Amino acid sequence: MGPGFTGADGIVGNGDEGDAALFVDGNRDASTWNLTLNGGSASCDATLYVTVDLGQNFIVDSVTLWSYWGGVGTGDVRRYCGEKVAISETGAFAGEEVVIYDTGTAYGPPSGASGHTVDGAQTLGRYVRRWSSRSEVNVGVHFIETKVMGRDPSVYAQAQTSSLVSTLESLAPGTVISAVDGDYEYTM
């Protein structure tokens, strides 16, 4: 292993080389594999990782992963083993994180132009860590791009409260309302 990634926008990792800023630049072109974060791993047990600091806690709805693939019409479709995605509020990744995707030592789905989208399960967190190991073609680990989709929890809470107040104001007198697992149940 090299010294690891340290780059702009709070991106760090443990790979050999690459420009961390390219990890979240929106460019999913697989031909950039040698410029983006990459390294090598001889075994599905030995993973590399990249962590993105979102700057504040967000409710994460989805994470889309792009790894190297040969491009349209090339027939070079690759699957990577040791893939995992976790979300943390602290960035420690010492057991407090929520794992939203994990292939273990098995190979994940094929890489391609549309990436692979993982359900974020509305997990609250500031840090998103992505692990991967080798492909089924060679020892290369190629982090082309990662897209995190989510919502600011303070804005979401305000919208939920506003919606609830509007609903309460429209209910008839005598309506019973109770909270059930964070959702609201209305009984007339």
Side-chain angles (χ1 to χ4, degrees):
M1 288 291 115
F5 310 120
T6 301
D9 302 322
I11 300 168
V12 297
N14 68 341
D16 293 328
E17 57 186 78
D19 183 348
L22 298 178
F23 184 63
V24 291
D25 69 347
N27 182 359
R28 292 140 190 162
D29 183 354
S31 69
T32 64
W33 73 266
N34 60 332
L35 304 174
T36 61
L37 304 175
N38 65 83
S41 175
S43 162
C44 291
D45 291 325
T47 58
L48 302 181
Y49 69 85
V50 181
T51 305
V52 178
D53 180 348
L54 301 174
Q56 71 175 58
N57 278 335
F58 283 93
I59 299 168
V60 177
D61 293 315
S62 66
V63 179
T64 305
L65 317 172
W66 283 268
S67 297
Y68 178 78
W69 60 288
V72 176
T74 65
D76 185 359
V77 178
R78 298 184 187 196
R79 298 180 326 139
Y80 291 80
C81 60
E83 292 185 310
K84 180 176 172 181
V85 178
I87 301 167
S88 169
E89 291 185 59
T90 67
F93 293 94
E96 86 297 345
E97 72 274 11
V98 175
V99 176
I100 60 169
Y101 175 67
D102 190 356
T103 65
T105 57
Y107 286 89
S111 296
S114 60
H116 173 235
T117 300
V118 176
D119 182 1
Q122 297 187 353
T123 304
L124 183 67
R126 174 177 173 162
Y127 302 89
V128 177
R129 181 170 286 181
R130 174 185 175 186
W131 290 264
S132 185
S133 190
R134 61 171 290 128
S135 77
E136 58 192 350
V137 174
N138 61 32
V139 300
V141 179
H142 311 102
F143 297 107
I144 301 293
E145 182 79 13
T146 296
K147 178 174 77 172
V148 178
M149 298 297 291
R151 296 165 280 147
D152 182 326
S154 63
V155 173
Y156 181 70
Q158 289 171 4
Q160 293 292 87
T161 301
S162 176
S163 173
L164 177 60
V165 168
S166 297
T167 301
L168 290 174
E169 289 173 349
S170 67
L171 294 174
T175 301
V176 177
I177 301 171
S178 61
V180 179
D181 292 331
D183 294 324
Y184 290 91
E185 180 181 279
Y186 304 94
T187 307
M188 305 262 326

